Amino acid sequence: MLTIEGIEKSAYKELETVKDRDGLEALRVKYLGRKGDLTGVLRSLKDLSEKERKTLGSRANKFKDKLQEKIDAKFLEFGEGDGVSNIDITRPGHKPSRGYLHLLSKTEQEIRKIFLSMNFSVVEGPELETEFYAFNALNLPEWHPAREAWDTFWIKPKKGGERMLLRPHTSPVQIRYMEEHQPPFQIIVPGRCFRYEATDATHDTNFYQFEGLMVGRDVNLANFKYIVEKFFEEFFKGQKVEARFRPSHFPFVEPGVEVDMRFKGGDWLEMMGAGMVHPKVFEAAHYDPRDFQGFAFGMGIERLAMIKYKIPDIRMFYSGDLRFIKQF
Ligand code: DAH
């Protein structure tokens, strides 16, 4: 019977004298082919003791890899059958395709960058939220009719546990942050939100928002107006943007406003909800509302991207349609 040593020796010897591709192919079949010598050795392993099987098996496998490598190298040396190299140096190169960020991630990063440059910090919070942070602490007790505005995915609670939900907005992170920090501060909170509602061109059950919160001793709405206008100007690349406030109602702010913006000569576009943080919200976070005041706002990230890139339907972001994704 052939031994592995014997096979190695003769294979390497033959390899040295082989003269052309055909000879090389014959050699490959003889040693590495399905009915080849080495395969024979590997097949016979099953009759050996476990110890022998291990040493012999690993040696045979190493040899197999090495011989394959040498044969490959030799094939390259020989080139194509007509003796000419098989590398066509005139052939155009392949452009490797690289992954890149989805338009929404890119937009979120732009937003982060602009607010970081205005000395805001970026904070995140959980997508699975408790009823307390999502509603009660934001001055939305269970009986409050305004809760109707947030169509909610409730999660089946653990026995005796607190009610949980997929957060319908990023506002709960206001409370989480204030519980652990003292003013003055200014933060934004980008993140994913969920609502149980029918989808259309401007609504989806899954979307992104970012929350803003700035608190100090005398932070006011005029400060807010300056900051949103600066933000719009940066985000829309230096186009002159005007903002206006319209009175509105959100339980977690007083007064509450709706913020519209317009480009020079354009129509007003509704952009976000905002206002001065409600005293009850400060109380829920264990601040004394007589000590501090500040503004808060919440804006949709898709909405910003839709205006900037002229996208007609929010569902396109989540369609996975490459014709859409590859444009950005
Ligand atoms: N959380 C609100 C929503 O999702 C948006 C919002 C409005 C956030 C007013 C705020 C605010 O911080 O002050 O509809």
Side-chain angles (χ1 to χ4, degrees), residues 5-204:
E5 290 87 354
I7 299 176
E8 282 184 16
K9 242 193 188 150
S10 65
Y12 289 145
K13 208 162 122 199
E14 279 176 46
L15 195 65
E16 267 171 41
T17 55
V18 73
K19 282 199 225 40
D20 51 26
R21 294 179 68 90
D22 291 345
L24 194 56
E25 177 59 14
L27 185 146
R28 190 189 68 76
V29 172
K30 177 171 171 197
Y31 289 97
L32 301 178
R34 233 165 6 102
K35 292 185 185 150
D37 292 351
L38 189 66
T39 315
V41 171
L42 288 172
R43 283 223 178 97
S44 68
L45 286 178
K46 63 178 190 316
D47 305 324
L48 300 177
S49 75
E50 190 180 329
K51 206 169 147 218
E52 283 176 307
R53 206 184 317 146
K54 262 203 179 134
T55 39
L56 197 64
S58 99
R59 171 144 184 201
N61 275 318
K62 269 194 199 125
F63 166 63
K64 189 174 152 192
D65 291 344
K66 200 154 164 208
L67 185 63
Q68 183 70 58
E69 228 174 74
K70 283 181 187 278
I71 290 175
D72 288 346
K74 203 96 181 169
F75 266 120
L76 274 183
E77 221 175 87
F78 286 145
E80 290 291 356
D82 56 4
V84 178
S85 162
N86 61 356
I87 298 171
D88 175 2
I89 58 169
T90 63
R91 196 171 153 171
H94 274 295
K95 193 171 177 200
S97 56
R98 285 171 58 184
Y100 54 94
L101 292 178
H102 188 278
L103 181 59
L104 278 179
S105 309
K106 202 173 109 179
T107 306
E108 191 196 299
Q109 285 195 353
E110 275 180 66
I111 294 167
R112 284 175 184 246
K113 214 169 118 200
I114 295 168
F115 276 95
L116 282 170
S117 80
M118 295 196 282
N119 208 24
F120 277 65
S121 305
V122 179
V123 176
E124 291 184 13
E127 289 168 8
L128 183 60
E129 208 23 299
T130 63
E131 181 174 17
F132 173 76
Y133 287 112
F135 290 129
N136 304 52
L138 292 168
N139 194 26
L140 272 155
E142 197 168 350
W143 49 263
H144 201 299
R147 266 208 195 188
E148 294 279 303
W150 289 270
D151 311 280
T152 307
F153 288 111
W154 292 97
I155 304 294
K156 226 185 205 156
K158 290 205 188 98
K159 248 211 165 85
E162 202 179 340
R163 287 219 292 172
M164 305 284 285
L165 55 137
L166 294 176
R167 65 174 177 197
H169 52 181
T170 43
S171 305
V173 191
Q174 291 188 24
I175 307 290
R176 287 183 176 277
Y177 187 83
M178 287 194 285
E179 280 180 339
E180 289 179 2
H181 297 83
Q182 285 297 310
F185 63 78
Q186 52 278 332
I187 58 168
I188 59 158
V189 185
R192 187 175 180 185
C193 304
F194 307 84
R195 285 192 200 168
Y196 179 67
E197 62 184 353
T199 63
D200 62 28
T202 54
H203 297 86
D204 209 332

Side-chain angles (χ1 to χ4, degrees), residues 253-309:
V253 279
E254 180 57 38
V257 299
E258 204 77 58
V259 182
D260 302 333
M261 62 156 254
R262 73 170 167 196
F263 299 112
K264 228 185 169 91
D267 293 332
W268 288 106
L269 304 164
E270 186 177 314
M271 294 307 292
M272 71 183 109
M276 293 299 287
V277 179
H278 197 288
K280 287 226 165 111
V281 172
F282 282 144
E283 277 166 9
H286 307 294
Y287 287 1
D288 184 337
R290 284 167 304 188
D291 291 343
F292 301 115
Q293 62 182 49
F295 63 76
F297 61 92
M299 193 168 356
I301 296 182
E302 286 86 352
R303 177 129 182 82
L304 279 167
M306 285 167 84
I307 294 171
K308 182 163 175 173
Y309 300 98

